Amino acid sequence: MITTPHTKAPTGGRVLLQNITWETYERLLNEMGDQRNIRLHYDRGLLEIMTPLFEHENPKELITALVGVLADELNIEIIRAGSTTLKTPDLARGSEPDSSFYIQNETAIKGKRNLDLKTDPPPDLVIEVDVTSSSIDREGIYAAMGVPEIWRCDRGEVKFLQLRSGNYVETEHSLAFPVLPVTEVAKFLEQSQTVGETTLLRAFRTWVREQIKAENS
């Protein structure tokens, strides 16, 4: 167990520890293993421990399902990397995204059992859902790693962020799926409050097919 005089109290399923060494962070990852219900984010001495809540996991799972529908209808091969631990020792940064995907770099990762960001590319798309304020600059972590795109859902507000010149900027359309405007993701997430998930995904699939048909006409 880690003890430190610089600990902030948990807020909404989060706790922040300060003055944590990289070695301690890696030891925690090894001791906890993959079968755990918490996520760790590390940024140069700061360690945030997060316990996902239902209000966080539900939109994350829905957005992940939307990506699956897009890839299927657009006939794009993807690799679902989920909450895989992404870490860069030379930058003293690490994170476990809510969900992540290899899309443009799918062929570079296919068949690999482990990721090493020293030689492997980072995920092409990261999903982050925020229902409480985070004390860690996760966008800064992903920018340092070179993640090209983030879909961020912050208390129901959806943003598409693309990495440009080392910083993320908001965009109207997805980099990985140019057919998709951010307004559609926001619309379907809002509809999820009143319709069933199966019905919602069926409607989204219909919408994607209509966009493909319009582009090909």
Side-chain angles (χ1 to χ4, degrees):
M1 179 178 179
I2 296 175
T3 59
T4 172
H6 302 289
T7 303
K8 292 187 178 180
T11 302
R14 300 179 190 271
V15 62
L16 180 69
L17 305 177
Q18 301 182 22
N19 299 329
I20 302 299
T21 66
W22 179 263
E23 291 73 21
T24 298
Y25 165 62
E26 288 209 309
R27 188 170 70 250
L28 275 174
L29 290 173
N30 291 331
E31 291 178 353
M32 291 180 176
D34 296 329
Q35 303 303 315
R36 52 186 163 86
N37 192 36
I38 64 172
R39 294 188 191 127
L40 305 179
H41 305 282
Y42 183 85
D43 188 2
R44 297 163 295 182
L46 293 177
L47 176 65
E48 184 178 69
I49 303 174
M50 172 187 170
T51 303
L53 306 174
F54 175 76
E55 61 178 333
H56 171 276
E57 291 294 279
N58 180 247
K60 181 264 292 187
E61 290 294 332
L62 183 56
I63 294 173
T64 298
L66 295 181
V67 172
V69 170
L70 278 166
D72 184 33
E73 291 298 324
L74 295 171
N75 196 28
I76 296 175
E77 295 293 346
I78 64 173
I79 292 177
R80 301 171 190 247
S83 297
T84 297
T85 301
L86 309 173
K87 57 181 182 176
T88 51
D90 54 327
L91 300 175
R93 283 167 160 162
S95 188
E96 294 171 339
D98 292 324
S99 191
S100 60
F101 304 85
Y102 282 93
I103 305 168
Q104 295 95 323
N105 281 305
E106 182 265 345
T107 55
I109 300 300
K110 186 184 297 180
K112 288 183 177 287
R113 296 179 62 87
N114 298 291
L115 289 179
D116 184 350
L117 295 188
K118 290 181 180 178
T119 54
D120 296 323
D124 297 300
L125 173 62
V126 157
I127 309 297
E128 283 289 348
V129 177
D130 292 318
V131 294
T132 59
S133 297
S134 174
S135 301
I136 291 279
D137 178 15
R138 276 178 278 165
E139 288 181 19
I141 294 175
Y142 296 131
M145 292 178 178
V147 173
E149 182 174 15
I150 300 173
W151 291 5
R152 182 172 178 177
C153 180
D154 189 348
R155 299 171 183 85
E157 181 183 4
V158 182
K159 294 180 180 180
F160 285 174
L161 305 174
Q162 292 181 22
L163 187 62
R164 296 178 183 173
S165 302
N167 295 292
Y168 287 105
V169 297
E170 284 191 54
T171 59
E172 292 298 320
H173 286 75
S174 169
L175 178 64
F177 304 103
V179 69
L180 180 68
V182 66
T183 51
E184 288 302 314
V185 176
K187 183 184 78 174
F188 280 98
L189 278 180
E190 184 176 356
Q191 289 179 4
S192 71
Q193 303 301 307
T194 55
V195 302
E197 184 173 314
T198 300
T199 300
L200 187 79
L201 293 178
R202 188 180 298 120
F204 182 69
R205 187 178 295 274
T206 298
W207 179 86
V208 176
R209 290 176 178 176
E210 290 173 350
Q211 306 316 300
I212 296 172
K213 183 177 180 180
E215 284 196 346
N216 294 332
S217 61

